[in-house]
């Protein structure tokens, strides 16, 4: 039996419970557990998922005797992720944590080191748009060198009004507080964007050459909150692939802008270009643009949309990964790397100083000492 322990009972927690239901439909024996200090949220959860096991507290749920490959899903606001994920790792759970993973680099490094020490997976829900068929097709074209020598990537997604906690889910106030959410569109959507770039290129090193952040002024019921965080960011980055190739990336993400709405993800090379719909709710379409006897030509491929929806993907993928018996450290390292990349980009937005982030192998890496299994989790770490 695969047991899923969900910390939190709100909207996103219920999405993970729905993901567990799809696994049951596919023949897996799944048992869902839940805990949340909000009694009303737990009541709604229990009505929607009457087969779930409700616990009086997170502490009581975490003290449940362990089964092999139990998974704890951290479905709470970002500022709570670190202590809850630490507690889950310390209790022997694999951890699937909502994005952003944590609030700063030190917390990410400590959690990743703890997961490796325990032989457990630390996974972030930035994986929601990994393994999308259209993105896999783009990755295949890159790996087969069908685009020739790569030289430029455009990753641009701009919406005029799509701010979490303002334009949708306005009842969720923590979205509007950078101290609790991590801050703006980069921490909200950036994890997905960088995970897709990592999926295609698996860079050994990322250089953030320059970056900026803007705060468009808007009216509406949350006028003051709308300027507390940056809802429009951009960067110039250079990726170095495992093969040693260097690719420049023009990145831009906006959840609020007075400019033109844009959605373009494209890789350009000497022999061709590929653009694709990485957000699979828009329809999985891949367009390969090439030269045919001196004239431009385009060839399209389409893929079916996942009926279970993108919210279900992280949990389903982690369950399948654990059943495959692969090394836990590979997933943990990936989770840590993409978050450090995210925080480096954020830091360049803040101070304008270029930064680079290298993907370091586990072997030979210096790791801090940690308490023994069973020691209570530290509540917070200093920001960095």
């Amino acid at each position: 039996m695969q047991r899923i322990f969900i910390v939190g009972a709100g909207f996103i927690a219920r999405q993970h419970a729905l993901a567990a239901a799809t696994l049951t439909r596919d023949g897996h024996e799944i048992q869902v557990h839940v805990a949340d200090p909000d009694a009303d949220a737990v009541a709604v959860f229990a009505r929607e998922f009457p087969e779930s096991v409700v616990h009086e507290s997170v502490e009581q749920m975490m003290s449940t005797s362990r089964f092999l490959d139990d998974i704890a899903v951290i479905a709470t606001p970002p500022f709570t992720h670190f202590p809850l994920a630490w507690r889950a790792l310390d209790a022997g759970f694999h951890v699937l944590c909502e994005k952003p993973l944590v609030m700063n680099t030190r917390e990410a490094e400590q959690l990743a080191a703890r997961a490796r020490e325990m032989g457990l997976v630390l996974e972030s829900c930035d994986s929601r748009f990994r393994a999308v068929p259209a993105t896999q097709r783009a990755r295949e074209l890159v790996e087969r060198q069908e685009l020739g020598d790569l030289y430029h990537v455009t990753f641009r997604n701009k919406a005029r009004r799509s701010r979490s906690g303002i334009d949708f889910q306005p009842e969720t106030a923590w979205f509007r507080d950078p101290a609790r959410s991590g801050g703006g569109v980069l921490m909200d959507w950036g994890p997905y964007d960088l995970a897709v770039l990592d999926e295609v290129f698996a860079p050994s090193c990322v250089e953030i050459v320059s970056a900026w952040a803007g705060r468009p002024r808007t009216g509406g019921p949350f006028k003051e909150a709308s300027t507390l965080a940056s809802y429009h960011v951009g960067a110039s980055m250079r990726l170095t692939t495992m093969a040693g190739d260097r690719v420049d990336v023009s990145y831009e993400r906006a959840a609020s802008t007075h400019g033109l709405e844009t959605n373009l993800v494209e890789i350009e090379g000497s022999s061709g270009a590929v653009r694709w719909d990485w957000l699979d709710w828009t329809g999985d379409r891949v367009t390969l643009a090439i030269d045919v006897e001196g004239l431009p030509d385009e060839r399209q491929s389409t893929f079916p949309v996942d009926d279970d929806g993108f919210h279900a993907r992280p949990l389903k993928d982690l369950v399948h990964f654990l059943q495959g018996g692969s090394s836990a450290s590979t997933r943990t390292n990936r989770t840590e790397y993409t978050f450090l990349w995210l925080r480096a980009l954020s830091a360049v937005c803040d101070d304008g100083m270029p930064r680079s982030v290298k993907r370091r192998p586990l072997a030979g890496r210096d790791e801090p000492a940690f308490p023994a299994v069973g020691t209570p989790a530290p509540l917070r770490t200093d920001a960095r």
Side-chain angles (χ1 to χ4, degrees), residues 254-293:
S256 176
T257 177
H258 303 302
L260 182 67
E261 290 196 330
T262 312
N263 186 0
L264 175 65
V265 178
E266 182 177 57
I267 304 170
E268 296 173 276
S270 58
S271 300
V274 62
R275 62 183 185 272
W276 74 100
D277 299 320
W278 69 280
L279 293 169
D280 55 348
W281 67 67
T282 64
D284 277 2
R285 182 174 63 252
V286 179
T287 302
L288 174 64
I290 57 174
D291 176 276
V292 178
E293 297 182 354

Side-chain angles (χ1 to χ4, degrees), residues 158-210:
K158 295 168 59 183
R160 283 184 167 165
R161 300 293 184 272
S162 65
R163 294 159 296 184
S164 302
I166 296 176
D167 303 308
F168 66 94
Q169 284 187 255
E171 69 281 2
T172 309
W174 62 260
F175 272 124
R176 300 188 293 274
D177 180 0
R180 294 191 289 168
S181 68
V185 69
L186 184 60
M187 295 298 279
D188 191 13
W189 271 95
Y192 296 143
D193 300 339
L194 302 190
V196 169
L197 288 170
D198 183 65
E199 180 81 356
V200 176
F201 296 102
S204 60
C205 179
V206 175
E207 301 168 71
I208 298 104
V209 180
S210 63

Side-chain angles (χ1 to χ4, degrees), residues 58-110:
V58 173
E59 291 75 14
Q60 191 267 337
M61 184 170 74
M62 291 289 183
S63 66
T64 303
S65 350
R66 290 288 74 71
F67 284 6
L68 181 65
D69 288 341
D70 281 348
I71 298 171
V73 177
I74 311 302
T76 56
F79 75 100
T80 68
H81 287 178
F82 176 72
L84 291 171
W86 182 286
R87 187 172 299 174
L89 289 169
D90 208 44
F93 292 98
H94 298 288
V95 170
L96 175 63
C97 186
E98 269 303 327
K99 54 80 192 173
L101 177 66
V102 283
M103 298 291 282
N104 57 64
T105 60
R106 183 171 295 149
E107 291 179 346
E109 290 169 341
Q110 289 186 343

Side-chain angles (χ1 to χ4, degrees), residues 239-267:
L239 312 184
T240 301
T241 68
M242 294 295 187
D245 299 321
R246 289 157 62 104
V247 186
D248 285 290
V249 179
S250 299
Y251 172 72
E252 191 174 359
R253 164 65 71 175
S256 176
T257 177
H258 303 302
L260 182 67
E261 290 196 330
T262 312
N263 186 0
L264 175 65
V265 178
E266 182 177 57
I267 304 170

Side-chain angles (χ1 to χ4, degrees), residues 114-168:
R114 187 58 163 166
R116 285 189 288 263
E117 181 184 21
M118 300 287 289
L120 298 167
V121 172
L122 173 66
E123 181 91 356
S124 168
C125 288
D126 67 5
S127 62
R128 278 199 172 89
F129 299 101
R130 288 184 183 266
V132 171
T135 300
Q136 290 300 301
R137 172 60 176 155
R139 177 181 177 175
E140 180 183 40
L141 291 170
V142 168
E143 290 181 342
R144 292 183 177 180
Q145 299 183 318
E146 293 189 34
L147 305 180
D149 297 326
L150 307 181
Y151 60 84
H152 186 244
V153 177
T154 301
F155 200 110
R156 183 173 295 120
N157 285 267
K158 295 168 59 183
R160 283 184 167 165
R161 300 293 184 272
S162 65
R163 294 159 296 184
S164 302
I166 296 176
D167 303 308
F168 66 94

